Amino acid sequence: RYRLILKVKHTTKPSAKTKWKPSSAESPEKTSAGTPCSEKQREKSSAKPVQKQSAKTKGKEKKSTSWRVVMIKLSKSDYEKILKYAESELPDEACGLIGGEITESGDKIIKKVYLLTNTDHSNEHFSMDPKEQFESIKDMRVNEFVPLGNWHSHPESPSRPSEEDKRLAYDSKASYMILSLVDRENPVLNSFKIKGSDAEKEELVIE
């Protein structure tokens, strides 16, 4: 008789001292407390912090910028000069230029008014004589004046810019003075700044 002996190999059990350590790819991230963090915690920690709106800016609406109201000064004698010339040109519109100084605050002081010929000879619109314009600018340079703008009369309409006046106002920094002669006993002179289709009245001081 023969006895069949089977030999079975046993794998070595890991010792108590040996512990399994996951690789860097498998190793779970830990929180500041040292405990593993979940997927949601990792997403939360990687997200950028949201900046809260301060109480000062919260609910604050963006304000639209508005023009500063400019003061423009005209002597009484120069006003009388403009009025007399405008009345002499009726029924046509009269026109001219104004020159003077600009203060540090942006206010304007008219030192001289220039009376020019309206080559259109119309009671609805005007065109300044080019030669007279050149002579006026030349005189301003000699006297060290700054070109401040122009003036014209409205024989049959109020003292405000017409649509044509706005269309032809190319300089938004210039002053556009309009003298209304609708009421001959009570003429009205106003000064405006014009930008596109917008016109804002300036503070005109006659003294």
Side-chain angles (χ1 to χ4, degrees):
R1 293 180 181 179
Y2 296 95
R3 187 182 293 174
L4 183 61
I5 301 174
L6 297 176
K7 294 183 179 180
V8 181
K9 289 185 179 180
H10 297 279
T11 56
T12 309
K13 293 182 180 180
S15 62
K17 294 181 180 180
T18 307
K19 292 183 178 181
W20 173 78
K21 294 182 179 180
S23 62
S24 59
E26 297 173 343
S27 178
E29 297 177 10
K30 294 183 178 182
T31 63
S32 59
T35 58
C37 62
S38 63
E39 186 67 27
K40 288 184 178 181
Q41 287 175 319
R42 284 197 296 272
E43 290 177 0
K44 188 176 180 180
S45 61
S46 61
K48 294 182 180 180
V50 178
Q51 294 181 350
K52 292 184 178 181
Q53 194 175 14
S54 64
K56 292 182 179 179
T57 58
K58 190 175 182 180
K60 189 176 182 181
E61 297 181 357
K62 188 177 180 182
K63 295 182 179 180
S64 59
T65 55
S66 60
W67 291 338
R68 172 187 174 273
V69 178
V70 174
M71 181 176 68
I72 181 166
K73 290 184 178 181
L74 175 69
S75 67
K76 193 171 182 179
S77 60
D78 280 337
Y79 167 73
E80 295 292 341
K81 185 177 179 180
I82 290 174
L83 178 59
K84 184 178 180 180
Y85 181 65
E87 288 176 336
S88 69
E89 292 297 302
L90 288 173
D92 297 338
E93 289 191 0
C95 58
L97 297 174
I98 52 176
E101 302 172 352
I102 300 177
T103 65
E104 292 182 358
S105 61
D107 294 329
K108 301 176 181 180
I109 303 174
I110 299 173
K111 294 291 185 178
K112 189 172 182 178
V113 296
Y114 297 85
L115 313 178
L116 277 63
T117 301
N118 177 7
T119 57
D120 290 346
H121 302 290
S122 169
N123 64 340
E124 295 180 347
H125 51 82
F126 71 95
S127 293
M128 297 182 188
D129 184 283
K131 185 177 179 180
E132 293 176 356
Q133 285 188 68
F134 177 78
E135 292 297 328
S136 299
I137 297 298
K138 185 178 178 181
D139 183 79
M140 291 184 199
R141 290 176 180 173
V142 170
N143 291 283
E144 297 183 347
F145 294 155
V146 177
L148 299 178
N150 63 54
W151 70 270
H152 72 279
S153 63
H154 280 184
E156 301 172 2
S157 59
S159 175
R160 60 171 178 260
S162 64
E163 291 304 314
E164 184 176 4
D165 291 335
K166 294 177 182 179
R167 183 174 58 83
L168 297 175
Y170 300 112
D171 189 354
S172 61
K173 296 180 180 179
S175 292
Y176 296 90
M177 300 177 69
I178 300 174
L179 174 67
S180 174
L181 297 175
V182 174
D183 184 351
R184 293 287 300 276
E185 299 299 322
N186 297 287
V188 179
L189 178 65
N190 287 311
S191 184
F192 300 87
K193 287 181 71 176
I194 303 174
K195 187 175 183 181
S197 59
D198 297 324
E200 183 166 322
K201 188 182 293 186
E202 297 178 311
E203 182 185 351
L204 177 61
V205 177
I206 301 174
E207 57 184 11

PDB file of all heavy atoms in Angstrom, residues 97-99 114 116 128 130-149:
ATOM      1  N   LEU A  97     -18.502 136.543 -33.775  1.00  0.00           N
ATOM      2  CA  LEU A  97     -17.652 135.702 -32.932  1.00  0.00           C
ATOM      3  C   LEU A  97     -17.430 136.378 -31.583  1.00  0.00           C
ATOM      4  O   LEU A  97     -17.641 137.591 -31.440  1.00  0.00           O
ATOM      5  CB  LEU A  97     -16.298 135.445 -33.612  1.00  0.00           C
ATOM      6  CG  LEU A  97     -16.328 134.681 -34.943  1.00  0.00           C
ATOM      7  CD1 LEU A  97     -14.918 134.636 -35.543  1.00  0.00           C
ATOM      8  CD2 LEU A  97     -16.852 133.256 -34.734  1.00  0.00           C
ATOM      9  N   ILE A  98     -16.985 135.587 -30.607  1.00  0.00           N
ATOM     10  CA  ILE A  98     -16.629 136.131 -29.292  1.00  0.00           C
ATOM     11  C   ILE A  98     -15.254 135.611 -28.898  1.00  0.00           C
ATOM     12  O   ILE A  98     -14.925 134.438 -29.112  1.00  0.00           O
ATOM     13  CB  ILE A  98     -17.676 135.744 -28.206  1.00  0.00           C
ATOM     14  CG1 ILE A  98     -17.932 134.241 -28.199  1.00  0.00           C
ATOM     15  CG2 ILE A  98     -18.972 136.507 -28.438  1.00  0.00           C
ATOM     16  CD1 ILE A  98     -18.874 133.776 -27.101  1.00  0.00           C
ATOM     17  N   GLY A  99     -14.440 136.489 -28.322  1.00  0.00           N
ATOM     18  CA  GLY A  99     -13.100 136.107 -27.883  1.00  0.00           C
ATOM     19  C   GLY A  99     -12.833 136.635 -26.486  1.00  0.00           C
ATOM     20  O   GLY A  99     -13.434 137.626 -26.062  1.00  0.00           O
ATOM     21  N   TYR A 114     -17.224 140.276 -32.040  1.00  0.00           N
ATOM     22  CA  TYR A 114     -16.919 140.587 -33.431  1.00  0.00           C
ATOM     23  C   TYR A 114     -18.214 140.502 -34.237  1.00  0.00           C
ATOM     24  O   TYR A 114     -18.954 139.513 -34.149  1.00  0.00           O
ATOM     25  CB  TYR A 114     -15.879 139.604 -33.979  1.00  0.00           C
ATOM     26  CG  TYR A 114     -14.549 139.677 -33.271  1.00  0.00           C
ATOM     27  CD1 TYR A 114     -14.334 138.968 -32.091  1.00  0.00           C
ATOM     28  CD2 TYR A 114     -13.513 140.472 -33.766  1.00  0.00           C
ATOM     29  CE1 TYR A 114     -13.118 139.035 -31.422  1.00  0.00           C
ATOM     30  CE2 TYR A 114     -12.284 140.546 -33.111  1.00  0.00           C
ATOM     31  CZ  TYR A 114     -12.104 139.821 -31.938  1.00  0.00           C
ATOM     32  OH  TYR A 114     -10.895 139.901 -31.277  1.00  0.00           O
ATOM     33  N   LEU A 116     -19.938 140.118 -37.707  1.00  0.00           N
ATOM     34  CA  LEU A 116     -19.628 139.599 -39.037  1.00  0.00           C
ATOM     35  C   LEU A 116     -20.847 139.651 -39.954  1.00  0.00           C
ATOM     36  O   LEU A 116     -21.985 139.751 -39.488  1.00  0.00           O
ATOM     37  CB  LEU A 116     -19.116 138.159 -38.953  1.00  0.00           C
ATOM     38  CG  LEU A 116     -17.624 137.960 -38.624  1.00  0.00           C
ATOM     39  CD1 LEU A 116     -17.285 138.509 -37.243  1.00  0.00           C
ATOM     40  CD2 LEU A 116     -17.233 136.498 -38.708  1.00  0.00           C
ATOM     41  N   MET A 128     -21.089 132.847 -41.875  1.00  0.00           N
ATOM     42  CA  MET A 128     -20.173 133.967 -41.633  1.00  0.00           C
ATOM     43  C   MET A 128     -19.240 134.174 -42.824  1.00  0.00           C
ATOM     44  O   MET A 128     -18.793 133.207 -43.452  1.00  0.00           O
ATOM     45  CB  MET A 128     -19.340 133.702 -40.381  1.00  0.00           C
ATOM     46  CG  MET A 128     -20.156 133.597 -39.110  1.00  0.00           C
ATOM     47  SD  MET A 128     -19.089 133.354 -37.657  1.00  0.00           S
ATOM     48  CE  MET A 128     -20.339 133.039 -36.409  1.00  0.00           C
ATOM     49  N   PRO A 130     -16.073 134.330 -44.687  1.00  0.00           N
ATOM     50  CA  PRO A 130     -14.778 133.698 -44.392  1.00  0.00           C
ATOM     51  C   PRO A 130     -13.638 134.692 -44.172  1.00  0.00           C
ATOM     52  O   PRO A 130     -12.806 134.502 -43.277  1.00  0.00           O
ATOM     53  CB  PRO A 130     -14.513 132.843 -45.633  1.00  0.00           C
ATOM     54  CG  PRO A 130     -15.853 132.601 -46.237  1.00  0.00           C
ATOM     55  CD  PRO A 130     -16.645 133.841 -45.941  1.00  0.00           C
ATOM     56  N   LYS A 131     -13.606 135.745 -44.963  1.00  0.00           N
ATOM     57  CA  LYS A 131     -12.542 136.742 -44.826  1.00  0.00           C
ATOM     58  C   LYS A 131     -12.648 137.447 -43.477  1.00  0.00           C
ATOM     59  O   LYS A 131     -11.628 137.685 -42.802  1.00  0.00           O
ATOM     60  CB  LYS A 131     -12.636 137.758 -45.973  1.00  0.00           C
ATOM     61  CG  LYS A 131     -11.489 138.763 -45.980  1.00  0.00           C
ATOM     62  CD  LYS A 131     -11.602 139.707 -47.175  1.00  0.00           C
ATOM     63  CE  LYS A 131     -10.455 140.712 -47.145  1.00  0.00           C
ATOM     64  NZ  LYS A 131     -10.539 141.660 -48.308  1.00  0.00           N
ATOM     65  N   GLU A 132     -13.864 137.781 -43.077  1.00  0.00           N
ATOM     66  CA  GLU A 132     -14.066 138.451 -41.788  1.00  0.00           C
ATOM     67  C   GLU A 132     -13.738 137.516 -40.619  1.00  0.00           C
ATOM     68  O   GLU A 132     -13.221 137.959 -39.583  1.00  0.00           O
ATOM     69  CB  GLU A 132     -15.507 138.941 -41.684  1.00  0.00           C
ATOM     70  CG  GLU A 132     -15.836 140.061 -42.676  1.00  0.00           C
ATOM     71  CD  GLU A 132     -17.295 140.476 -42.633  1.00  0.00           C
ATOM     72  OE1 GLU A 132     -18.081 139.852 -41.891  1.00  0.00           O
ATOM     73  OE2 GLU A 132     -17.661 141.436 -43.342  1.00  0.00           O
ATOM     74  N   GLN A 133     -14.025 136.236 -40.796  1.00  0.00           N
ATOM     75  CA  GLN A 133     -13.661 135.258 -39.766  1.00  0.00           C
ATOM     76  C   GLN A 133     -12.142 135.219 -39.583  1.00  0.00           C
ATOM     77  O   GLN A 133     -11.641 135.218 -38.447  1.00  0.00           O
ATOM     78  CB  GLN A 133     -14.145 133.858 -40.164  1.00  0.00           C
ATOM     79  CG  GLN A 133     -15.635 133.643 -40.013  1.00  0.00           C
ATOM     80  CD  GLN A 133     -16.008 132.183 -40.236  1.00  0.00           C
ATOM     81  OE1 GLN A 133     -15.667 131.305 -39.460  1.00  0.00           O
ATOM     82  NE2 GLN A 133     -16.719 131.925 -41.317  1.00  0.00           N
ATOM     83  N   PHE A 134     -11.425 135.198 -40.680  1.00  0.00           N
ATOM     84  CA  PHE A 134      -9.964 135.160 -40.630  1.00  0.00           C
ATOM     85  C   PHE A 134      -9.409 136.403 -39.927  1.00  0.00           C
ATOM     86  O   PHE A 134      -8.504 136.307 -39.083  1.00  0.00           O
ATOM     87  CB  PHE A 134      -9.401 135.056 -42.052  1.00  0.00           C
ATOM     88  CG  PHE A 134      -7.907 135.084 -42.117  1.00  0.00           C
ATOM     89  CD1 PHE A 134      -7.151 133.958 -41.809  1.00  0.00           C
ATOM     90  CD2 PHE A 134      -7.245 136.256 -42.483  1.00  0.00           C
ATOM     91  CE1 PHE A 134      -5.766 134.005 -41.864  1.00  0.00           C
ATOM     92  CE2 PHE A 134      -5.858 136.298 -42.532  1.00  0.00           C
ATOM     93  CZ  PHE A 134      -5.106 135.167 -42.232  1.00  0.00           C
ATOM     94  N   GLU A 135      -9.955 137.567 -40.268  1.00  0.00           N
ATOM     95  CA  GLU A 135      -9.491 138.809 -39.654  1.00  0.00           C
ATOM     96  C   GLU A 135      -9.800 138.830 -38.148  1.00  0.00           C
ATOM     97  O   GLU A 135      -9.004 139.342 -37.354  1.00  0.00           O
ATOM     98  CB  GLU A 135     -10.152 140.013 -40.341  1.00  0.00           C
ATOM     99  CG  GLU A 135      -9.716 140.231 -41.785  1.00  0.00           C
ATOM    100  CD  GLU A 135      -8.224 140.536 -41.906  1.00  0.00           C
ATOM    101  OE1 GLU A 135      -7.661 141.168 -40.973  1.00  0.00           O
ATOM    102  OE2 GLU A 135      -7.627 140.134 -42.928  1.00  0.00           O
ATOM    103  N   SER A 136     -10.922 138.251 -37.761  1.00  0.00           N
ATOM    104  CA  SER A 136     -11.307 138.213 -36.345  1.00  0.00           C
ATOM    105  C   SER A 136     -10.357 137.312 -35.546  1.00  0.00           C
ATOM    106  O   SER A 136      -9.909 137.684 -34.448  1.00  0.00           O
ATOM    107  CB  SER A 136     -12.747 137.711 -36.200  1.00  0.00           C
ATOM    108  OG  SER A 136     -13.652 138.573 -36.859  1.00  0.00           O
ATOM    109  N   ILE A 137     -10.054 136.146 -36.079  1.00  0.00           N
ATOM    110  CA  ILE A 137      -9.131 135.222 -35.402  1.00  0.00           C
ATOM    111  C   ILE A 137      -7.735 135.829 -35.308  1.00  0.00           C
ATOM    112  O   ILE A 137      -7.033 135.697 -34.285  1.00  0.00           O
ATOM    113  CB  ILE A 137      -9.071 133.871 -36.143  1.00  0.00           C
ATOM    114  CG1 ILE A 137     -10.448 133.190 -36.126  1.00  0.00           C
ATOM    115  CG2 ILE A 137      -8.017 132.967 -35.524  1.00  0.00           C
ATOM    116  CD1 ILE A 137     -10.960 132.858 -34.747  1.00  0.00           C
ATOM    117  N   LYS A 138      -7.348 136.535 -36.357  1.00  0.00           N
ATOM    118  CA  LYS A 138      -6.043 137.207 -36.363  1.00  0.00           C
ATOM    119  C   LYS A 138      -5.990 138.258 -35.254  1.00  0.00           C
ATOM    120  O   LYS A 138      -4.979 138.399 -34.549  1.00  0.00           O
ATOM    121  CB  LYS A 138      -5.816 137.855 -37.735  1.00  0.00           C
ATOM    122  CG  LYS A 138      -4.440 138.481 -37.907  1.00  0.00           C
ATOM    123  CD  LYS A 138      -4.287 139.042 -39.311  1.00  0.00           C
ATOM    124  CE  LYS A 138      -2.938 139.717 -39.483  1.00  0.00           C
ATOM    125  NZ  LYS A 138      -2.800 140.297 -40.850  1.00  0.00           N
ATOM    126  N   ASP A 139      -7.078 139.005 -35.081  1.00  0.00           N
ATOM    127  CA  ASP A 139      -7.143 140.023 -34.033  1.00  0.00           C
ATOM    128  C   ASP A 139      -7.099 139.389 -32.642  1.00  0.00           C
ATOM    129  O   ASP A 139      -6.482 139.938 -31.716  1.00  0.00           O
ATOM    130  CB  ASP A 139      -8.431 140.843 -34.202  1.00  0.00           C
ATOM    131  CG  ASP A 139      -8.541 141.965 -33.187  1.00  0.00           C
ATOM    132  OD1 ASP A 139      -7.887 143.012 -33.372  1.00  0.00           O
ATOM    133  OD2 ASP A 139      -9.274 141.784 -32.186  1.00  0.00           O
ATOM    134  N   MET A 140      -7.743 138.227 -32.485  1.00  0.00           N
ATOM    135  CA  MET A 140      -7.695 137.526 -31.196  1.00  0.00           C
ATOM    136  C   MET A 140      -6.270 137.123 -30.841  1.00  0.00           C
ATOM    137  O   MET A 140      -5.849 137.238 -29.679  1.00  0.00           O
ATOM    138  CB  MET A 140      -8.599 136.275 -31.238  1.00  0.00           C
ATOM    139  CG  MET A 140     -10.085 136.569 -31.305  1.00  0.00           C
ATOM    140  SD  MET A 140     -11.050 135.025 -31.233  1.00  0.00           S
ATOM    141  CE  MET A 140     -12.616 135.572 -31.887  1.00  0.00           C
ATOM    142  N   ARG A 141      -5.534 136.665 -31.819  1.00  0.00           N
ATOM    143  CA  ARG A 141      -4.151 136.258 -31.572  1.00  0.00           C
ATOM    144  C   ARG A 141      -3.287 137.443 -31.174  1.00  0.00           C
ATOM    145  O   ARG A 141      -2.435 137.342 -30.282  1.00  0.00           O
ATOM    146  CB  ARG A 141      -3.581 135.576 -32.820  1.00  0.00           C
ATOM    147  CG  ARG A 141      -4.199 134.210 -33.101  1.00  0.00           C
ATOM    148  CD  ARG A 141      -3.671 133.623 -34.391  1.00  0.00           C
ATOM    149  NE  ARG A 141      -4.258 132.301 -34.660  1.00  0.00           N
ATOM    150  CZ  ARG A 141      -4.067 131.624 -35.788  1.00  0.00           C
ATOM    151  NH1 ARG A 141      -3.326 132.158 -36.774  1.00  0.00           N
ATOM    152  NH2 ARG A 141      -4.626 130.438 -35.949  1.00  0.00           N
ATOM    153  N   VAL A 142      -3.512 138.571 -31.843  1.00  0.00           N
ATOM    154  CA  VAL A 142      -2.742 139.776 -31.524  1.00  0.00           C
ATOM    155  C   VAL A 142      -3.007 140.215 -30.085  1.00  0.00           C
ATOM    156  O   VAL A 142      -2.084 140.617 -29.353  1.00  0.00           O
ATOM    157  CB  VAL A 142      -3.091 140.919 -32.510  1.00  0.00           C
ATOM    158  CG1 VAL A 142      -2.478 142.245 -32.044  1.00  0.00           C
ATOM    159  CG2 VAL A 142      -2.603 140.575 -33.920  1.00  0.00           C
ATOM    160  N   ASN A 143      -4.253 140.125 -29.666  1.00  0.00           N
ATOM    161  CA  ASN A 143      -4.635 140.542 -28.316  1.00  0.00           C
ATOM    162  C   ASN A 143      -4.545 139.415 -27.278  1.00  0.00           C
ATOM    163  O   ASN A 143      -4.921 139.619 -26.124  1.00  0.00           O
ATOM    164  CB  ASN A 143      -6.071 141.093 -28.340  1.00  0.00           C
ATOM    165  CG  ASN A 143      -6.170 142.417 -29.080  1.00  0.00           C
ATOM    166  OD1 ASN A 143      -5.798 143.465 -28.552  1.00  0.00           O
ATOM    167  ND2 ASN A 143      -6.675 142.375 -30.306  1.00  0.00           N
ATOM    168  N   GLU A 144      -4.046 138.252 -27.731  1.00  0.00           N
ATOM    169  CA  GLU A 144      -3.904 137.075 -26.852  1.00  0.00           C
ATOM    170  C   GLU A 144      -5.230 136.650 -26.238  1.00  0.00           C
ATOM    171  O   GLU A 144      -5.313 136.260 -25.076  1.00  0.00           O
ATOM    172  CB  GLU A 144      -2.861 137.347 -25.752  1.00  0.00           C
ATOM    173  CG  GLU A 144      -1.470 137.599 -26.301  1.00  0.00           C
ATOM    174  CD  GLU A 144      -0.436 137.793 -25.199  1.00  0.00           C
ATOM    175  OE1 GLU A 144      -0.827 137.969 -24.021  1.00  0.00           O
ATOM    176  OE2 GLU A 144       0.765 137.761 -25.519  1.00  0.00           O
ATOM    177  N   PHE A 145      -6.282 136.708 -27.085  1.00  0.00           N
ATOM    178  CA  PHE A 145      -7.597 136.229 -26.674  1.00  0.00           C
ATOM    179  C   PHE A 145      -7.757 134.775 -27.118  1.00  0.00           C
ATOM    180  O   PHE A 145      -7.101 134.320 -28.056  1.00  0.00           O
ATOM    181  CB  PHE A 145      -8.721 137.068 -27.297  1.00  0.00           C
ATOM    182  CG  PHE A 145      -8.778 138.488 -26.823  1.00  0.00           C
ATOM    183  CD1 PHE A 145      -9.348 139.485 -27.622  1.00  0.00           C
ATOM    184  CD2 PHE A 145      -8.274 138.854 -25.584  1.00  0.00           C
ATOM    185  CE1 PHE A 145      -9.400 140.799 -27.190  1.00  0.00           C
ATOM    186  CE2 PHE A 145      -8.330 140.166 -25.140  1.00  0.00           C
ATOM    187  CZ  PHE A 145      -8.887 141.140 -25.952  1.00  0.00           C
ATOM    188  N   VAL A 146      -8.654 134.090 -26.442  1.00  0.00           N
ATOM    189  CA  VAL A 146      -9.001 132.718 -26.814  1.00  0.00           C
ATOM    190  C   VAL A 146     -10.334 132.743 -27.557  1.00  0.00           C
ATOM    191  O   VAL A 146     -11.274 133.395 -27.093  1.00  0.00           O
ATOM    192  CB  VAL A 146      -9.133 131.821 -25.554  1.00  0.00           C
ATOM    193  CG1 VAL A 146      -9.557 130.402 -25.938  1.00  0.00           C
ATOM    194  CG2 VAL A 146      -7.829 131.791 -24.777  1.00  0.00           C
ATOM    195  N   PRO A 147     -10.447 132.056 -28.704  1.00  0.00           N
ATOM    196  CA  PRO A 147     -11.760 131.973 -29.364  1.00  0.00           C
ATOM    197  C   PRO A 147     -12.741 131.230 -28.445  1.00  0.00           C
ATOM    198  O   PRO A 147     -12.533 130.067 -28.114  1.00  0.00           O
ATOM    199  CB  PRO A 147     -11.469 131.165 -30.633  1.00  0.00           C
ATOM    200  CG  PRO A 147      -9.993 131.317 -30.858  1.00  0.00           C
ATOM    201  CD  PRO A 147      -9.388 131.399 -29.499  1.00  0.00           C
ATOM    202  N   LEU A 148     -13.804 131.903 -28.037  1.00  0.00           N
ATOM    203  CA  LEU A 148     -14.749 131.320 -27.083  1.00  0.00           C
ATOM    204  C   LEU A 148     -15.995 130.734 -27.740  1.00  0.00           C
ATOM    205  O   LEU A 148     -16.673 129.903 -27.143  1.00  0.00           O
ATOM    206  CB  LEU A 148     -15.177 132.378 -26.058  1.00  0.00           C
ATOM    207  CG  LEU A 148     -14.061 132.977 -25.190  1.00  0.00           C
ATOM    208  CD1 LEU A 148     -14.628 134.031 -24.254  1.00  0.00           C
ATOM    209  CD2 LEU A 148     -13.333 131.893 -24.411  1.00  0.00           C
ATOM    210  N   GLY A 149     -16.302 131.177 -28.962  1.00  0.00           N
ATOM    211  CA  GLY A 149     -17.494 130.676 -29.639  1.00  0.00           C
ATOM    212  C   GLY A 149     -18.061 131.704 -30.600  1.00  0.00           C
ATOM    213  O   GLY A 149     -17.320 132.542 -31.128  1.00  0.00           O
TER     214      GLY A 149
END
